[in-house]
Amino acid sequence: MSGTFVGMPAFPKAAHEAVHDATLRGNLRHATHTIRAKRANAVAELSDWAALREAGKRIKDHTLRHLDQYLVRLEETVTAAGGIVHWAADAEEANRIVAGLVKETGESEVVKVKSMATQEIGLNEALEAEGIRAYETDLAELIVQLGKDRPSHILVPAIHRNRGEIRDIFRTEMGEWGRPAPDGLTDTPAELAEAARLHLREKFLRAKVGVSGANFMVAETGTLVVVESEGNGRMCLTLPETLISVVGIEKIVPTWRDLEVFLQTLPRSSTAERMNPYTSTWTGTTDSDGPRTFHLVLLDNGRTDTLADEVGRQALRCIRCSACLNVCPVYERAGGHAYGSVYPGPIGAILSPQLRGTQSEIDASLPYASSLCGACYEVCPVAIDIPEVLVHLRERVVQGGQVTRDGNKVVLKPAKGHAAERAAIRAARWTLTRPGALRAGQRLASRGRRLVPRTLPGPGRAWTDSRDVPAVPAEPFRDWWQRTDGGKKDVK
């Protein structure tokens, strides 16, 4: 993945700093509570929501099992429709391809519709290094870019900013990027939106190259789909002469009919709408409308390695709705920046360590950025069992083991700092497989129960900082069972 977040501290440290930011917590609390309440109402309107959820899961699982076949089919249909397909194994190759394509046009600027794939690979920074300026056109992405900030939410990248902060950013920064903010700009939503519209309109009308992602790619027809709420996507996809779409290989669906499921579940799960205000589809190029040249860059960047993991691969079902973020108590308090990735929240905690590996401090900590409450699984429209994957990745961090990296089987060493945890697990395994030792240990613990401290020493202190040490019973269960004949005798 991109080096944009290199050097980020581990999640516990970043989250510790974030939870002390009262403004951030207030912004997050208000936004996430509002979005999830609206989502719940939108989902409740459909009597067949559970069936749609299961259908989405099955479509995605089927596609992932036969991904090689559908990707080949997609290349054939896109090419037949007049598009040009490029394959990128990693971020560096994808950035090199896109920069080269922009240079071929002779242009030095591009307009972008919101794309997490291009954020993942650090495309804006790569283009800037080549003398090409990329302009974000989604309102929230514009706020983040003007504020020299990072996205903190999948759906609402500027969720950590309030209206006053946005007004100040527009006043001070817009002029450096193009049309300045109007004099006397206030923090009312209508004025902020109008300032952004005026600022972006000149870029839409001037740009010769557009860069996009895609929510879905249809193998059957070679069609790409972008759903959005502001109309900026429609402008980016239709006005430029050249369109370059960078899309993760997992975004493919087999047939046009499959879109029916996701065009119902995605808007309700993300923006709590029955349908997206703008659903743009394009298939190759035509002589009379839209871009004259279309390039599709298919991005791997760790996805086939993730696909090799039977438990972890379900993260590739994700349709980027952000519902899991809006119900997560950890995300609500820590915010998106603490995750050190363009994919924050519960889905980021399982996706980033798989795409990037668990060798870095931040990636080794992400599987622990959860309370395992399960709320994320309950709202996921494609039924990703995020808690299951989190536990799976925690085991990988602690124990190491065989994984796939760059298509090759490698053996990971256990992460540093988990020696005590591994020793405890080994001791528990030894004891639990020896009934005599287990019985002796239980009796010893019962007899010495008054000596059990309220807080544990050493590494155990982190656990008891927020939990009570369980009370030790006066008598082991097995002894009680024998003494009372299974509870039939008087237990006094």
Side-chain angles (χ1 to χ4, degrees), residues 365-383:
S365 71
L366 286 179
Y368 296 89
S370 170
S371 65
L372 298 180
C373 68
C376 49
Y377 170 65
E378 295 299 325
V379 299
C380 178
V382 286

Side-chain angles (χ1 to χ4, degrees), residues 60 63 67 70-71 74 217-219 248-254:
K60 281 290 190 176
T63 307
L67 188 60
Y70 287 120
L71 286 172
L74 177 71
M217 304 181 290
V218 184
I249 56 176
E250 82 281 13
K251 293 297 187 70
I252 195 169
V253 294

